[in-house]
Amino acid sequence: MVSREDRVKRFAHFMNWVAAASIFGMMLLTTTDVVLRYFRRPIPGTYEIVGFLGSIAVGFALASTSVNRAHVAVSILFQRLPPKAQTFVDAFNSLVAAGFFGILTWQCGALAEDLRQAGEVSMTLEMPFYPFVYGISAGCAMLAVTLFVDFLDALKTFARR
Amino acid sequence: MSPITTGILGIVLLVVLLFSKMSVGFVMAILGFVGFSYLVSLEAGLSLIAKDFFDIFSSYSLTVIPLFILMGQIAFHAGISRRLYDTAFKLTGRLPGGLAIATVAACAGFSAISGSTNATAATMATVALPEMRRYGYDMRLATGTVAAGGSLGILIPPSVIFIVYGIMTEQSIGKLFAAGILPGCVLSLLFAATIFIRVRRHPSWAPRGPSVAWREKIRSFAGVVETLILFLLVMGGMFFGIFTPTEAAAVGAFCTLMLAVIRRQLSWRSLLKSLVESTRISCMVMVIVTGATVFGHFLAVTTLPMALASWVKGLPLPPPAIMGVIVLVYLVGGCFMDALGMIMLTIPIFYPVALAMGFDPIWFGVVIVLVTEMGVITPPVGVNVYVVKGIAATVPLETIFRGALPFVISLCILVALLLLFPNLALWLPSLMR
């Protein structure tokens, strides 16, 4: 049976693949634009699309980066704490961060809705902004879920000790 | 609480929470949000975070970061780092400490296509440590060299720190990159000299390598040609104003990929691996940038940076002495904080001071990068040392720190040289259009 943690992790890594594809797309699009510009046929709106892809690249990688513990943290004093205190601090940190990214999910959603109703679009391609803001919101939601699972994990370890 | 007191409390809390092992970017974003909401209003705080996250994540100028990281990752997985090392080894293997000197040279070469100090340290640790161990090198010298050599990655372009500095201060990234080249070369020479002197004192630390025939040495140059081409393409394109930095990074990554594919050095598996790794590293960097942006907006409403700047400016000291004080602050701060976080937090404070005292913004950028470079190899929070420790698990942390410490002297010498001869940094950018 696939545990809840595993399912969360798998989905986080799946989102990371979408992010990776965005970076690859940024590379291809920009390179093509540079080459075509040489023949006086630049791709209009490259600048905008690359920015949008960038937001997906970072937003969708948030959760997976957290699962892999790749966000930089300072562990020099933390390591000196007794194990029980370590788990407690871990649980506390995960819960606070999960709460923060929960709020951010909600706020990005609200911002997206505002942008949609105001009909804000980009300058050259007239592409709407709001889907990408929803994208960031989704990335934050997934990060909040991952952090909450970390919190539950830490609680379990804490109870066992 | 007055805004300034709130600001000071915010910074104290920041340090405390950083030591609780919460992710650097998260801590800055959360504290910035709480502080901003306290000083302005909750509503303003809520819309601040959504806006900051969207603005930074979708910023075109910052897309240069994932692209340069991708370029470095592909280069690593295609074995370019290994070939650089082989060439350098064949050229210097016979010298006292030759393998260590080769490591510095290879680090400098790899920095020229990789944007991050951690990536350079990790890459060269993987490649060079096993070799140095095989030839019986003392691990203190070997690990210290890799940690210090990796720090060249921030100074020799492309460099993520220069990009962030350039965006924050609205300086040309191309000019900053150009400004880093000469100091980077001088620093590599100083590092090599450090190794030479240390090995002269302790010959047992570094047994001599095998001798290599001249013909073999010349032939081995094939291993560095591709790196040279890539570097010239990326830097040349920016230097002559053909590309924006993002375009240079994209073209650089694409050409590295093509080179690797044509030479059949990159499997599908390694390509996917480079992509996934780049995504995570870029995400980590961008989260720190975003967190620091939120925290920076909080600091701005506390008026603390302005107060501090006018205090420093009012000190009865000549500008070079004030510069010395700033350098000292970075040295101490760098011991405790990650280089990028440190830059993001302090630039809003010290950049106006430096400008007010008539220092050149590009020159100031190079000095700041150099000083944070010391931070990545000094205890207790020397990121590069941890990276090397991650790869050389059996070597005690203290040994690596002790091994890296003599290289800090080289860094200090370079800072002094830059203070005396600003043109060391400013000559190349002055040639640019």
Side-chain angles (χ1 to χ4, degrees):
Chain A
M1 205 190 91
V2 187
S3 70
R4 181 181 55 209
E5 281 99 55
D6 281 345
R7 239 177 290 159
V8 169
K9 276 181 195 165
R10 269 193 213 168
F11 194 69
H13 292 321
F14 164 73
M15 284 177 85
N16 196 56
W17 281 114
V18 179
S22 302
I23 294 187
F24 201 73
M26 276 151 66
M27 177 188 81
L28 287 183
L29 179 64
T30 309
T31 310
T32 319
D33 179 51
V34 169
V35 173
L36 288 182
R37 195 169 59 197
Y38 222 77
F39 302 101
R40 303 184 181 280
R41 285 246 160 71
I43 306 170
T46 301
Y47 179 91
E48 289 163 9
I49 304 174
V50 168
F52 286 148
L53 284 176
S55 69
I56 298 300
V58 187
F60 276 37
L62 283 171
S64 171
T65 308
S66 170
V67 167
N68 281 41
R69 302 277 177 266
H71 287 298
V72 174
V74 180
S75 58
I76 188 95
L77 280 186
F78 182 84
Q79 284 166 346
R80 311 261 152 128
L81 293 175
K84 192 143 184 167
Q86 282 191 7
T87 1
F88 180 77
V89 174
D90 244 353
F92 176 79
N93 282 350
S94 307
L95 188 65
V96 170
F100 176 76
F101 282 96
I103 296 175
L104 195 57
T105 306
W106 162 50
Q107 279 305 310
C108 283
L111 178 65
E113 194 49 34
D114 282 353
L115 289 172
R116 192 179 71 86
Q117 273 165 14
E120 293 257 359
V121 291
S122 65
M123 286 214 316
T124 316
L125 295 176
E126 302 191 343
M127 240 189 331
F129 282 116
Y130 75 88
F132 300 97
V133 189
Y134 272 126
I136 295 177
S137 179
C140 290
M142 193 57 209
L143 176 58
V145 171
T146 328
L147 288 166
F148 192 70
V149 170
D150 284 348
F151 164 69
L152 293 181
D153 263 4
L155 268 196
K156 250 187 254 165
T157 325
F158 191 71
R160 229 178 285 140
R161 273 184 177 145
Chain B
M1 249 191 307
S2 79
I4 293 204
T5 326
T6 319
I8 295 172
L9 184 70
I11 292 177
V12 172
L13 272 177
L14 179 79
V15 175
V16 172
L17 281 177
L18 279 179
F19 280 119
S20 81
K21 210 189 161 200
M22 196 191 265
S23 306
V24 176
F26 294 3
V27 175
M28 290 195 284
I30 293 170
L31 278 178
F33 163 63
V34 173
F36 193 90
S37 305
Y38 173 76
L39 283 178
V40 187
S41 71
L42 179 62
E43 212 171 312
L46 287 171
S47 61
L48 174 84
I49 45 171
K51 200 160 165 2
D52 276 352
F53 270 77
F54 175 60
D55 283 350
I56 300 289
F57 281 14
S58 65
S59 147
Y60 175 79
S61 17
L62 284 170
T63 52
V64 63
I65 292 174
L67 291 170
F68 269 133
I69 290 173
L70 178 63
M71 180 171 165
Q73 282 289 323
I74 295 177
F76 168 61
H77 285 287
I80 289 182
S81 42
R82 151 125 257 143
R83 282 195 295 285
L84 277 172
Y85 184 67
D86 286 344
T87 305
F89 175 38
K90 283 188 180 131
L91 291 178
T92 61
R94 276 299 280 169
L95 290 171
L99 266 181
I101 294 174
T103 307
V104 169
C107 281
F110 195 70
S111 306
I113 46 175
S114 157
S116 121
T117 172
N118 311 354
T120 307
T123 305
M124 290 325 294
T126 329
V127 175
L129 280 183
E131 294 292 314
M132 287 198 268
R133 193 179 294 242
R134 193 153 65 90
Y135 283 94
Y137 267 55
D138 184 83
M139 272 298 121
R140 186 196 301 185
L141 178 69
T143 51
T145 303
V146 177
S151 73
L152 287 168
I154 346 187
L155 192 58
I156 297 180
S159 150
V160 170
I161 304 267
F162 273 141
I163 296 169
V164 171
Y165 178 87
I167 291 170
M168 290 183 74
T169 60
E170 295 180 340
Q171 292 298 319
S172 147
I173 292 173
K175 281 194 176 173
L176 281 166
F177 279 5
I181 295 177
L182 280 182
C185 295
V186 172
L187 187 61
S188 313
L189 289 177
L190 286 172
F191 278 176
T194 310
I195 294 168
F196 196 80
I197 294 167
R198 285 174 86 188
V199 172
R200 268 297 164 86
R201 271 230 207 113
H202 311 271
S204 64
W205 281 7
R208 295 220 169 182
S211 75
V212 176
W214 271 105
R215 187 190 300 188
E216 183 74 9
K217 284 187 182 176
I218 292 165
R219 201 182 294 152
S220 76
F221 264 108
V224 293
V225 169
E226 56 199 340
T227 313
L228 203 64
I229 294 174
L230 286 172
F231 182 73
L232 288 179
L233 177 83
V234 169
M235 290 311 296
M238 265 191 284
F239 200 85
F240 293 109
I242 305 169
F243 305 141
T244 65
T246 301
E247 286 165 357
V251 173
F254 184 77
C255 292
T256 314
L257 176 64
M258 283 301 113
L259 248 161
V261 169
I262 292 168
R263 291 178 132 212
R264 295 177 179 280
Q265 281 154 345
L266 196 71
S267 60
W268 273 107
R269 236 190 129 91
S270 337
L271 172 62
L272 293 180
K273 212 168 165 192
S274 328
L275 266 170
V276 169
E277 290 286 305
S278 312
T279 313
R280 288 203 189 109
I281 299 172
S282 329
C283 178
M284 178 269 283
V285 172
M286 295 291 283
V287 165
I288 294 178
V289 173
T290 316
T293 307
V294 177
F295 197 80
H297 281 141
F298 157 62
L299 277 187
V301 294
T302 64
T303 67
L304 186 65
M306 287 71 100
L308 198 65
S310 60
W311 176 73
V312 173
K313 210 163 58 185
L315 285 177
L317 292 170
I322 295 185
M323 196 62 213
V325 173
I326 295 180
V327 166
L328 208 67
V329 169
Y330 274 89
L331 261 180
V332 175
C335 290
F336 297 97
M337 257 199 95
D338 154 74
L340 191 60
M342 179 79 193
I343 293 259
M344 297 282 317
L345 273 178
T346 51
I347 288 303
I349 300 174
F350 289 124
Y351 184 69
V353 178
L355 283 196
M357 291 187 308
F359 287 115
D360 184 280
I362 303 277
W363 176 86
F364 184 64
V366 176
V367 172
I368 292 309
V369 160
L370 255 180
V371 190
T372 45
E373 212 174 328
M374 295 186 204
V376 299
I377 53 173
T378 45
V381 190
V383 182
N384 272 12
V385 172
Y386 291 109
V387 169
V388 172
K389 166 78 183 163
I391 289 158
T394 51
V395 184
L397 210 52
E398 289 79 7
T399 309
I400 312 179
F401 272 123
R402 283 230 301 277
L405 229 40
F407 293 101
V408 175
I409 301 170
S410 312
L411 285 161
C412 292
I413 295 175
L414 185 57
V415 172
L417 282 176
L418 273 171
L419 279 167
L420 291 174
F421 313 104
N423 268 338
L424 192 59
L426 295 177
W427 178 65
L428 267 181
S430 72
L431 302 180
M432 282 171 76
R433 287 189 289 173

